[in-house]
Amino acid sequence: MMEPLTDRLGRPMRDLRISVTDRCNFRCSYCMPKEVFGDDYAFLPKQELLTFEEIQRLTRLFVSMGVKKIRLTGGEPLLRKGLPELIKIIFSVEGVEDVGLTTNGLLLKKHGLALYDAGLRRLNISLDALDPELFGSLNGRGVSSENILEQIDYAKALGFEIKVNMVVQKNVNEAEILPMAAYFKEREITLRFIEFMDVGNDNNWSFEKVVTKHEILRKLESVYTLTAVDEDYFGEVAKRYRYEGSEAQVGFITSVSESFCSSCTRSRLSSDGKFYTCLFATEGFDIRKLLRGDWDDRQLLDAIGAVWSGRKDRYSDERTEESAKSRKKIGMSYIGG
């Protein structure tokens, strides 16, 4: 183990998000709008994706620099062939303490058991509405919320710890806040409300479309009594609350109204091997080129360390309406949410 890395603002690197594919079977407007990602959209060819062996090697190197938690993302990671095998490979790396997966949930009945048998225990599942028609419109594919709710029930029955992520947009799905809260409170599944963020440049973001934590919390407190929960670890993103008389919780991811740049410990690998130090990055560092250029571990560690130690990202602290429009940012489907 090396001495744990810190960046220029003193933030350690503790989390690594690995995008395993840039493809998705949904076309959510805030991530992959179908007007941009049409049927003829050119996704990455297979040979440009990081192989499982390359992911294993990079995981080992990142862990040696202080990473403890791995999260697999996409696109939709369940579209990556052989994903349960990759889960096993990552768990085989000494020092990995936690592995999670972010998914839209559509393929959980098909792959859930294999993922569980591979050792995966934590799922973050995206669901932006209970109303079937609204959800079908939001996902761009007409998939009913009832389909995803069945997949969630299936995954919970297998034994997965589940968190449900809801991106809230003003005048789009605000009316779903209380129904979603009631549904998942009853099932003691943590629901996390995510403020609409300006990730990428394809989702027509503006401050006017943001529903803040304060607004959502006010709606919830008109019905429920909520108590703030202390953070479990440095760098925890969600601000959590527990319902009175229940073990159920709600969380808030407040990138817009209450930024958490000062404690951000996340690093990211795109599916083609670019290293990013911020979700709102404009460019990444090409690690795949070095991997396939026969660089040894020491050279790779030095290169990765130089990127992180030079990191000074704090985009959410500095965001303005103008910067959100003018800054060219990497798309969420490419970098992983």
Side-chain angles (χ1 to χ4, degrees):
M1 288 289 294
M2 301 170 55
E3 191 71 24
L5 279 178
T6 56
D7 66 11
R8 290 173 64 176
L9 300 178
R11 298 168 294 189
M13 181 165 58
R14 291 286 182 266
D15 308 81
L16 176 62
R17 299 202 147 203
I18 304 173
S19 175
V20 296
T21 180
D22 62 331
R23 299 171 185 266
C24 188
N25 42 14
F26 279 4
R27 290 295 181 269
C28 301
S29 60
Y30 56 78
C31 181
M32 295 180 69
K34 56 188 175 183
E35 295 79 12
V36 177
F37 296 86
D39 293 338
D40 59 347
Y41 185 83
F43 290 99
L44 291 168
K46 182 180 178 180
Q47 64 270 21
E48 292 191 20
L49 300 178
L50 288 175
T51 67
F52 287 179
E53 292 76 16
E54 288 169 336
I55 292 174
Q56 179 183 32
R57 185 182 179 193
L58 288 174
T59 298
R60 178 171 53 79
L61 294 178
F62 274 86
V63 167
S64 75
M65 291 185 284
V67 164
K68 304 294 184 185
K69 299 174 64 176
I70 307 293
R71 175 161 292 278
L72 300 180
T73 71
E76 171 47 53
L78 297 186
L79 293 176
R80 180 71 185 258
K81 186 176 180 180
L83 191 64
E85 183 59 32
L86 179 59
I87 299 287
K88 293 178 184 177
I89 288 171
I90 291 174
F91 270 119
S92 73
V93 176
E94 185 178 357
V96 171
E97 295 180 358
D98 182 77
V99 180
L101 177 81
T102 297
T103 174
N104 61 34
L106 186 60
L107 298 174
L108 282 173
K109 285 187 177 180
K110 183 176 181 180
H111 300 295
L113 181 58
L115 293 170
Y116 193 87
D117 288 344
L120 187 69
R121 293 295 181 269
R122 295 199 308 109
L123 297 172
N124 285 6
I125 301 173
S126 301
L127 181 69
D128 294 329
L130 286 182
D131 180 85
E133 187 174 339
L134 175 58
F135 181 67
S137 173
L138 291 172
N139 64 54
R141 291 294 194 229
V143 176
S144 170
S145 56
E146 294 170 357
N147 186 323
I148 306 304
L149 294 174
E150 289 175 5
Q151 308 270 352
I152 291 172
D153 288 343
Y154 172 77
K156 186 177 181 184
L158 285 176
F160 282 106
E161 175 192 337
I162 296 170
K163 294 175 183 173
V164 173
N165 291 338
M166 177 186 181
V167 175
V168 185
Q169 300 180 63
K170 190 160 289 185
N171 300 322
V172 176
N173 61 340
E174 280 177 288
E176 293 291 296
I177 291 171
L178 289 176
M180 287 278 286
Y183 185 92
F184 290 106
K185 174 181 180 292
E186 180 182 344
R187 288 155 180 80
E188 294 193 345
I189 292 174
T190 296
L191 173 64
R192 305 197 303 178
F193 297 101
I194 301 177
E195 293 179 347
F196 181 39
M197 294 180 285
D198 56 315
V199 182
N201 295 92
D202 300 319
N203 63 6
N204 297 312
W205 183 90
S206 73
F207 280 111
E208 286 79 21
K209 296 180 182 180
V210 177
V211 184
T212 66
K213 170 200 168 187
H214 175 74
E215 294 172 284
I216 299 170
L217 188 58
R218 191 169 57 198
K219 282 181 182 288
L220 294 175
E221 290 181 330
S222 70
V223 179
Y224 306 106
T225 299
L226 295 166
T227 302
V229 178
D230 292 336
E231 67 178 25
D232 282 338
Y233 54 90
F234 178 82
E236 183 176 7
V237 168
K239 297 173 173 66
R240 296 179 291 122
Y241 292 75
R242 180 176 286 109
Y243 294 100
E244 184 179 69
S246 172
E247 290 303 309
Q249 295 185 16
V250 289
F252 299 88
I253 297 177
T254 60
S255 174
V256 179
S257 69
E258 300 175 17
S259 70
F260 38 83
C261 296
S262 62
S263 60
C264 179
T265 63
R266 293 181 174 184
S267 53
R268 288 176 165 83
L269 282 175
S270 67
S271 50
D272 61 347
K274 302 291 195 312
F275 176 33
Y276 293 90
T277 57
C278 181
L279 180 60
F280 304 96
T282 57
E283 59 184 16
F285 178 77
D286 192 349
I287 295 181
R288 190 194 67 190
K289 181 179 179 180
L290 308 185
L291 283 171
R292 297 181 183 179
D294 295 325
W295 283 40
D296 62 29
D297 284 356
R298 182 70 264 167
Q299 291 172 303
L300 289 170
L301 286 168
D302 288 344
I304 295 167
V307 173
W308 187 266
S309 61
R311 176 190 189 232
K312 55 181 180 179
D313 305 285
R314 46 190 298 267
Y315 174 79
S316 291
D317 286 346
E318 303 167 332
R319 178 193 287 107
T320 65
E321 192 86 48
E322 181 56 35
S323 70
K325 291 178 180 178
S326 61
R327 178 177 168 127
K328 185 65 177 175
K329 300 182 290 292
I330 303 300
M332 184 180 288
S333 62
Y334 173 75
I335 196 175

